[in-house]
Amino acid sequence: MKKIMCLICTMIGLVLTASCSSQASDTLIENYKYGIILSNQQLNGKLQLYDEEGKFLGSKKLKASGIDENGASALTGPYYVNGKWYIGACSDLKAQDFILEIDSGTLEVKKIPSNIGEMYSYTGFLIQKNRLYTFYSAPGEAPIIKSSLSDHKKINQIVIEDDSVLLHLIPYGEKLVLISDKAGKQGMKIRILDDDTFNIEKEYRIEDYSVSYDAVLKGDKLYMIPNSDENDSSTDKVIVYDLLNGSKELLELPFNDPRYIKEVDNKLYIVEQDLESDHHSIAIMGMDDHQIEDVVTFKHTVRDVVIDKDTMVLSSDDKVYVYNINNFELIKSFDIKTDDHLMFGSLLVKP
């Protein structure tokens, strides 16, 4: 009888424990505002969750390595589409033929096939109109693959065969803008592709700058952050390229090493990332006249940038800062729960 009672008590305890875990999970999902992804090239990553005030709520394991690891690849994103985040996972150790999809409401994680195969890892991707575009660069070829997000089947593919290193793929109406670098040589290429057929309609060459760190397309103007100039030195420039006539304009910045470029309400926010500095600046530029309207300097580094309504959320390796985007007054900041084995990967902000 005692054994039966002990068994019943144990079962009740397990049910209560499961119930508490479920409630805690529901509370965590309901209350989180900010997410931090930590990762490295060898170990699975994790998603940390924080509430509106920056209180740590808990974390969720992510079965992928190299998840948007800062500085390890040229992965774009994360993309937020229809209530879901799409995040790149690209390890140096093994090919990972999937994109992580995280439902912002339920935190359910899925692996979306990238259709690259197991020989190479993709180095960039784009989510657009229920389509997934993935690309990678290998010796002598650089494929771009379009797949359906609903059934994950491959729709179309093009292979660029001139030792191009593909960097960015950007929607341009019913077309796509492809930015690439020439492997081992100076200069970038800009190609305009038909989104349906993948036919290359236009091709432009930029000889004196290499590697586009980040890019923004507004109308027919493409704004790019170059990594280096013809002397292989860091730059203080933004390249503006007119996709209609192929003309180029160089905009001068008040600092070297720009890294991120964001567009909000017809203004550009260009973020400095000098890895040897303990502070970074943001240049605010009007898009009509290309004049610098303001420069804001922070006493901390910047590893990622998310604009959320009227705030700009910046992350360093170990802290998150939330600023009013109108006057850049600090609204709040909070510590990231660091991990000895993982490094900062991406910043997520729940809309």
Side-chain angles (χ1 to χ4, degrees), residues 171-184:
Y172 181 35
E174 298 301 317
K175 306 179 189 304
L176 297 167
V177 175
L178 173 64
I179 305 173
S180 64
D181 205 64
K182 185 71 172 174

Side-chain angles (χ1 to χ4, degrees), residues 39 48 51 57 60 80 84-85 101 107-108 120 122 131 133 135 145 158 163 224 236 240 258 272 308 310 343:
S39 178
Q48 295 182 343
D51 69 8
L57 299 175
K60 185 180 183 70
Y80 184 80
K84 297 175 181 178
W85 281 295
E101 177 190 89
L107 294 182
E108 180 184 8
Y120 297 102
Y122 60 90
R131 298 288 186 260
Y133 302 79
F135 56 81
I145 298 169
I158 184 175
D163 280 334
M224 295 182 291
D236 60 353
V240 187
E272 174 192 23
D308 176 50
D310 58 351
M343 63 185 293

Side-chain angles (χ1 to χ4, degrees), residues 140-199:
E141 64 174 11
I144 306 171
I145 298 169
K146 177 167 64 173
S147 307
S148 168
L149 268 183
S150 54
D151 62 16
H152 312 315
K153 291 182 179 179
K154 185 185 294 187
I155 298 172
N156 204 351
Q157 176 174 337
I158 184 175
V159 178
I160 310 295
E161 298 179 335
D162 63 353
D163 280 334
S164 286
V165 178
L166 306 188
L167 301 172
H168 301 287
L169 196 61
I170 303 172
Y172 181 35
E174 298 301 317
K175 306 179 189 304
L176 297 167
V177 175
L178 173 64
I179 305 173
S180 64
D181 205 64
K182 185 71 172 174
K185 295 184 180 180
Q186 188 74 25
M188 291 186 285
K189 276 190 177 180
I190 301 170
R191 296 178 175 92
I192 299 177
L193 283 64
D194 182 276
D195 188 12
D196 183 39
T197 64
F198 270 9
N199 290 334

